[in-house]
Amino acid sequence: MVLPVRTHLTISVIYTYYQIYPLCQSHYYIYNRVVKKLLFLAILCAGTIGLSLCLPYGSGTHTTEGASTTAELSGYAWSSNIGWISFKGSNYGVTFDQLNGTLSGYAWSSNIGWISFNTGDLTGCPTNPCRASYSNNAFSGWAKALSADGKGWDGWIHISGSGYGLTLSDTTISGYMWGGPVIGWIRAKTLITTPLADTCSNGIDDDNDGLVDEADVDCGLINPPTGVDTPGTETNKNPQCNNGVDDDGDGVKDYPADEDCTGITDTTETSTPAPEVTLKVGIGSPSFDTINLSKTGGSVLLGIDIKNASSTTSCTGSAAGATTNTPLTINTGGVSSYYTQQSLTVSERTRVSVSCQTAGKTGSDSVDIIIKSENEF
């Protein structure tokens, strides 16, 4: 018969007990308190095999992944001075974390504009604590109207003070905030709270980007760029340079690992080739890498050929020792392949160099124009 693992454990402990006893007689008191306690725990566990009182063995414990602790405020508050204040719209809202109590986001007034509950906007509030927060069914701290000019109106709104404040009962928010002489009393009229839907644990590809729940960077596995993504909600597809995918198949992904990404808001990870610059010189047609002239003041044609150019390609050129009849300026005009000719009057040995850059990648080339006397040919 094969005994369960915990039964083996119990027998092992009992056996150890009787093996150790003869060696521990001189320390009976310590032995009695320690070893017997281990024996008791082993017997207890053996008697409750399969119950949760013993340490789990084999089956494991599953926990819910991606559970949301964030709730949103929705509805309106009313000020007799500035009218209605909306706490939720199509592209804005106020939320709070039910664990740490921090409020964040924006409310909107058609008369005074945005009202911020973000901690970063609340530095320097009239009295501490500045942070807009929630605790024990009550809200506290400050909010601020961002359109305040600081010339008699500082924009501060006290969420709670002596004898007033906002409180939460079930899902309904009631009470008053004080916005100073300009805004006056703000009364919660239809304000309620609702837990945010947790689209990061529903088994659905909510934003149709091919990734589901925890595999989706929108669920917070990768730090999102400001204004692009909200951790905990699978609603926005991240830019290619911050989406956890090797979009261009070059073996590296995202910023800064992929050098084709200039930042986490870069929308393309596709490899951007360096500009390919080719220079030729000649008389009648630019077709040589080097040309020898028999006298000073000779005139040659310079051909500039740039491939892989784009509207962001910028080029610089120099012709040391040459007097340019046409200024050595290069403007690709946004075309992918650019070619032009320029005429140079050369007075001494000259090296013509052109360098172009696109998205941090450089391509360059140079040609030599050499003045020789007749006996040097």
Side-chain angles (χ1 to χ4, degrees):
M1 178 180 69
V2 179
L3 296 177
V5 173
R6 290 193 179 87
T7 303
H8 279 296
L9 175 63
T10 304
I11 294 173
S12 177
V13 172
I14 295 173
Y15 175 77
T16 303
Y17 174 88
Y18 287 106
Q19 289 293 315
I20 294 176
Y21 178 76
L23 303 176
C24 298
Q25 290 181 358
S26 62
H27 302 284
Y28 177 78
Y29 178 75
I30 297 174
Y31 160 82
N32 191 54
R33 295 203 29 120
V34 176
V35 178
K36 282 189 174 182
K37 185 172 288 187
L38 290 173
L39 178 62
F40 169 76
L41 291 174
I43 293 173
L44 175 64
C45 194
T48 55
I49 294 175
L51 300 178
S52 60
L53 293 176
C54 292
L55 294 175
Y57 178 84
S59 60
T61 301
H62 298 282
T63 57
T64 301
E65 296 175 330
S68 175
T69 63
T70 304
E72 63 180 355
L73 278 64
S74 59
Y76 294 84
W78 170 258
S79 162
S80 58
N81 291 0
I82 64 168
W84 292 106
I85 300 172
S86 171
F87 279 73
K88 180 176 175 15
S90 60
N91 60 351
Y92 67 90
V94 178
T95 63
F96 67 95
D97 191 312
Q98 298 176 90
L99 291 181
N100 64 31
T102 300
L103 275 75
S104 60
Y106 300 91
W108 171 256
S109 163
S110 58
N111 290 312
I112 64 169
W114 296 113
I115 297 173
S116 176
F117 289 80
N118 293 319
T119 302
D121 293 324
L122 306 179
T123 303
C125 69
T127 60
N128 287 322
C130 296
R131 180 173 67 100
S133 61
Y134 167 81
S135 178
N136 297 324
N137 297 322
F139 297 87
S140 61
W142 295 82
K144 187 172 185 179
L146 298 183
S147 61
D149 56 13
K151 300 176 181 178
W153 179 41
D154 56 17
W156 290 111
I157 299 171
H158 207 184
I159 298 174
S160 67
S162 179
Y164 66 90
L166 296 181
T167 59
L168 176 63
S169 176
D170 194 13
T171 61
T172 301
I173 299 174
S174 58
Y176 292 83
M177 297 184 290
W178 172 246
V182 174
I183 300 177
W185 291 108
I186 302 172
R187 181 184 178 185
K189 296 287 284 187
T190 60
L191 275 182
I192 61 172
T193 65
T194 308
L196 283 178
D198 184 16
T199 57
C200 285
S201 61
N202 60 6
I204 300 172
D205 180 13
D206 299 273
D207 54 1
N208 298 314
D209 63 357
L211 302 170
V212 177
D213 294 348
E214 288 190 341
D216 194 314
V217 294
D218 298 311
C219 292
L221 296 185
I222 295 178
N223 291 328
T226 302
V228 175
D229 188 55
T230 304
T233 57
E234 188 186 337
T235 56
N236 297 299
K237 185 175 180 179
N238 273 14
Q240 285 192 8
C241 286
N242 188 47
N243 65 0
V245 179
D246 180 12
D247 296 277
D248 55 0
D250 61 357
V252 290
K253 59 187 178 183
D254 296 348
Y255 177 84
D258 194 318
E259 63 179 10
D260 298 307
C261 294
T262 59
I264 60 175
T265 58
D266 197 342
T267 57
T268 177
E269 195 180 87
T270 303
S271 179
T272 302
E276 184 180 324
V277 181
T278 304
L279 303 182
K280 298 290 184 180
V281 289
I283 298 173
S285 65
S287 56
F288 301 99
D289 297 321
T290 301
I291 189 169
N292 298 322
L293 300 180
S294 60
K295 61 179 180 178
T296 62
S299 180
V300 298
L301 287 176
L302 169 68
I304 305 173
D305 187 9
I306 305 170
K307 291 182 172 61
N308 302 328
S310 71
S311 59
T312 61
T313 300
S314 61
C315 302
T316 57
S318 64
T323 301
T324 57
N325 295 333
T326 301
L328 193 59
T329 57
I330 308 100
N331 180 6
T332 64
V335 297
S336 60
S337 185
Y338 170 82
Y339 181 81
T340 187
Q341 290 187 25
Q342 298 192 30
S343 178
L344 301 179
T345 300
V346 182
S347 58
E348 59 185 53
R349 179 179 179 132
T350 297
R351 167 161 287 192
V352 181
S353 300
V354 172
S355 177
C356 297
Q357 279 197 343
T358 305
K361 295 187 176 181
T362 303
S364 59
D365 194 21
S366 61
V367 293
D368 289 318
I369 304 170
I370 302 172
I371 304 295
K372 289 186 177 182
S373 60
E374 290 185 3
N375 60 3
E376 291 180 303
F377 284 90

